[in-house]
Amino acid sequence: MALWSGRFVEGVDAFTQRFGASLPVDQRLYAQDIAGSKAHAAMLAAQGVIAAEDAEAIKAGLDGILADIEAGTFVFDINDEDIHMAIEGELTRRIGEAGARLHTGRSRNDQVATDTRLYAKQRAADLMTANVALREALIGQAEANFEVILPGYTHLQHAQPVLFSHHMLAYVAMLERDYTRLQAALDAADASPLGAAALAGTTYPLDRFATAEALGFAAPIANSLDAVSDRDFLLDLIYACSVSCLHLSRLCEELVLWSSSEFGFITLSDSYSTGSSIMPQKKNPDFAELIRGKSGRVVGDLVALMMTLKSLPLAYNKDLQEDKQGATDAADTLEDCYVCAAGMVATMTVNAEAMRAQAKKGYLAATDVADYLAKKGLPFRRAHEVVGHLVLLCDTRGCDLEDLTLADFQAESELFEADVMECLNLEAIVAARTTYGGTAHTQVRTQLEAAKNRLPH
Ligand code: ARG
C-alpha cells in the first residue's frame, strides 16, 4: 500500500499504478530530493519541531540511500509512484520512526517544486558550460582561418564577400545570447518553494529562509500558492533550449550545404560522418542533420508544457507531473547537440580555395563599384544603374567585373578612372567594410578578441 493509503480500502490496480507513476521520469531527481529532505529535516530540528537525534538519523539514512543509488544498488519500484515516495519509504524501512517524521510540515507539492527547481538550476549551469565549449570551437576555426574569404549570401544568392571568421563569429553571437537566456532560466528557478507545504503554508514554525539558504536558493518564494503551482522557470529553460536548438539547426543546415559537392566549402571529419549501406562512395553529414532535426522535438517540448499549463487552476494539479519529461528531454537534447556540434566544428576542414573560387563568381564587387561612383558625387541610385549595365555586359560576355577594361567602365561613366580596378579584388572589398561590426579584417579581429574575452575563464 502507498504511503498515503490510510483512508483507502483498496489499492490502485497495476495499470493505474503505472499510469499515475512519475518514477521513471523523476528518479533522476534523486540527488535534489535527498538534498531537499536533508535541509528540511535539519530545519525541523533547529526549530524544535523534531528531535535532533531524529534529524541525525534522517541525515545518515538519506546519505546511505544516496550512496546506494549512486552505486546502482538501489532498486526502484514503480509501486512507489514517484521519487519522493521511493526515498521516504526506503528511509522509513531503514531507520523507522524518525523516517516517518521527515514529512512533517511538508507536502509533495512543495517538495517536487523544490526538486525541480534545483534540477533546473543544475541543468541550466551544465548547458552554459557546454555552450561555452561550442563557442570555443567556433572561435578556434575563426582564428585558424582568419583571412579566408567566402561569398556572403542573401536569398542564398552570392551577395558580398565576407571573412569566414566573420561568419563563424555570427554564430558565436547567437550562442552568447543563448548563454544569457540560460542564465535567465537559472535565475528564474532560483527561489525556494519549500515550506509552502500543500498550498497554504503550515502550522509548524518552519524557517523557510533557512531551508532556502541551505539549498542555495536566493530566497523563499513569497506566495505559497504560487510556490507550488509555478512552472514558468521550466518554460524559461525549455525556451532557452529551443532558441539555442534553432540556432544550431541554422549552423548545421550550413554545414550540410557546405559539405555538399556543390559547395565543397568544408570537409567534415570521418568521426562526424556516416556511410551508406548501399552506396559505397557516400559520406553523409548525418550528425549535422540530426542536430537540425532534433530542434523540432525540443520546440515541441516547449509547446507541450505551455499547453499543460494553459487554463490550469491553482494550486497543485496532477497535470503538473507532466512537466518534467519535456524539460529533461530539452536539456538532454541540447546538451548532446552542443557536444556534437563542438566536435564537428573543431574537426572540420575549411576548404579556403573552394570558398574563394565561389566568391569570385556572381559579381560580388558590384556594390563596391557603385560606391566608387557615389563617392565621386553620382547619386547612389544612378550609380546602381550604371553598375547594373556593367553586370549585363559581363553576363553577355560571360566574364567577371574584374575582366572588364578601363575603357569598358568609362563607356558607362566618365567618372571611372584607373583606380576603379583596385576595388575589384576580394581582399580590397572585404578590407573596405570598416564600419563597426563590418567584415573588414580590422573589425573582425576586434570582434574576435571581444568574443574570446566574453568566454568565462
Ligand atoms: N509525482 C508528483 C509530480 O511529479 C509529485 C507531487 C504529487 N503531489 C500530489 N499531491 N499528488 O508532480
Side-chain angles (χ1 to χ4, degrees):
M1 292 294 262
L3 292 176
W4 39 254
S5 62
R7 58 98 69 222
F8 286 77
V9 180
E10 291 179 76
V12 292
D13 70 24
F15 171 78
T16 46
Q17 182 63 42
R18 187 167 55 76
F19 185 75
S22 56
L23 191 60
V25 175
D26 64 26
Q27 70 179 51
R28 63 187 286 178
L29 270 56
Y30 69 87
Q32 289 81 4
D33 196 71
I34 288 172
S37 289
K38 282 165 68 173
H40 182 66
M43 179 276 296
L44 288 178
Q47 296 297 104
V49 179
I50 63 172
E53 309 81 72
D54 285 346
E56 281 305 310
I58 289 170
K59 180 182 180 306
L62 289 171
D63 284 340
I65 292 173
L66 180 64
D68 291 352
I69 294 175
E70 287 188 334
T73 54
F74 189 94
V75 183
F76 285 105
D77 177 358
I78 192 93
N79 291 312
D80 282 329
E81 189 179 326
D82 58 28
I83 187 65
H84 326 296
M85 301 288 217
I87 291 175
E88 190 192 326
E90 178 62 14
L91 178 71
T92 306
R93 279 189 290 279
R94 291 190 185 188
I95 67 168
E97 281 275 280
R101 293 188 204 282
L102 168 61
H103 212 53
T104 311
R106 187 176 70 166
S107 157
R108 276 187 296 157
N109 299 348
D110 58 341
Q111 188 178 0
V112 71
T114 303
D115 294 4
T116 308
R117 281 171 176 271
L118 289 172
Y119 170 82
K121 284 178 67 179
Q122 178 61 54
R123 296 302 281 147
D126 296 342
L127 288 167
M128 287 161 79
T129 303
N131 169 292
V132 169
L134 175 55
R135 277 155 58 188
E136 282 168 348
L138 290 161
I139 288 171
Q141 285 288 8
E143 278 196 303
N145 301 281
F146 184 75
E147 303 206 335
V148 171
I149 291 174
L150 80 163
Y153 296 82
T154 66
H155 312 271
L156 209 53
Q157 308 289 322
H158 289 194
Q160 293 171 353
V162 293
L163 288 183
F164 171 79
S165 43
H166 195 46
H167 200 108
M168 289 294 101
L169 288 173
Y171 283 106
V172 173
M174 296 182 210
L175 287 159
E176 286 176 0
R177 293 194 296 276
D178 295 340
Y179 186 89
T180 306
R181 267 182 283 274
L182 288 165
Q183 179 68 60
L186 192 159
D187 293 343
D190 193 16
S192 175
L194 198 58
L199 74 165
T202 82
T203 57
Y204 298 96
L206 302 189
D207 185 348
R208 294 193 57 211
F209 289 86
T211 47
E213 198 187 328
L215 292 170
F217 285 116
I221 296 172
N223 181 305
S224 64
L225 294 167
D226 186 43
V228 293
S229 70
D230 172 36
R231 294 294 184 274
D232 295 356
F233 62 98
L234 286 183
L235 290 181
D236 292 346
L237 178 63
I238 310 175
Y239 173 69
C241 293
S242 296
V243 177
S244 203
C245 277
L246 294 184
H247 290 153
L248 295 188
S249 79
R250 298 179 73 169
L251 170 67
C252 287
E253 168 71 1
E254 298 213 289
L255 298 183
V256 169
L257 283 174
W258 287 359
S259 60
S260 68
S261 328
E262 282 72 10
F263 280 79
F265 284 7
I266 55 163
T267 309
L268 293 176
S269 75
D270 285 358
S271 40
Y272 289 92
S273 311
T274 57
S276 156
S277 56
I278 176 168
M279 297 167 283
Q281 85 284 12
K282 293 278 287 194
K283 183 172 167 188
N284 295 327
D286 277 35
F287 303 103
E289 296 166 71
L290 260 180
I291 294 173
R292 192 176 60 185
K294 283 173 189 287
S295 61
R297 206 180 69 236
V298 173
V299 174
D301 290 330
L302 176 63
V303 177
L305 183 57
M306 285 185 149
M307 290 304 97
T308 296
L309 295 176
K310 179 185 175 297
S311 310
L312 212 59
L314 292 178
Y316 180 84
N317 300 274
K318 188 78 163 180
D319 313 44
L320 290 174
Q321 180 166 288
E322 290 293 315
D323 64 349
K324 284 172 280 300
Q325 200 154 3
T328 52
D329 178 59
D332 292 351
T333 304
L334 178 59
E335 189 172 44
D336 286 351
C337 289
Y338 275 154
V339 171
C340 187
M344 189 155 43
V345 167
T347 57
M348 73 188 186
T349 307
V350 174
N351 304 327
E353 282 317 309
M355 290 185 181
R356 189 174 186 84
Q358 283 302 326
K360 282 173 138 332
K361 293 185 203 159
Y363 317 116
L364 300 201
T367 312
D368 294 71
V369 179
D371 287 345
Y372 173 93
L373 292 175
K375 284 173 191 165
K376 295 208 167 195
L378 193 65
F380 184 78
R381 277 287 152 245
R382 297 282 98 70
H384 188 286
E385 198 183 345
V386 168
V387 182
H389 289 150
L390 289 167
V391 168
L392 264 182
L393 179 65
C394 291
D395 247 356
T396 44
R397 288 195 197 160
C399 72
D400 195 35
L401 285 166
E402 271 185 279
D403 306 319
L404 297 178
T405 63
L406 184 57
D408 292 327
F409 280 104
Q410 286 171 337
E412 285 297 334
S413 167
E414 65 262 23
L415 290 173
F416 283 121
E417 295 174 75
D419 62 349
V420 67
M421 310 310 270
E422 287 161 27
C423 70
L424 298 177
N425 74 75
L426 292 174
E427 270 69 26
I429 299 171
V430 168
R433 286 177 162 64
T434 53
T435 34
Y436 175 77
T439 197
H441 304 67
T442 48
Q443 279 299 323
V444 178
R445 178 60 71 192
T446 304
Q447 297 302 338
L448 180 61
E449 292 310 317
K452 280 162 71 178
N453 286 333
R454 285 191 294 268
L455 292 171
H457 297 295

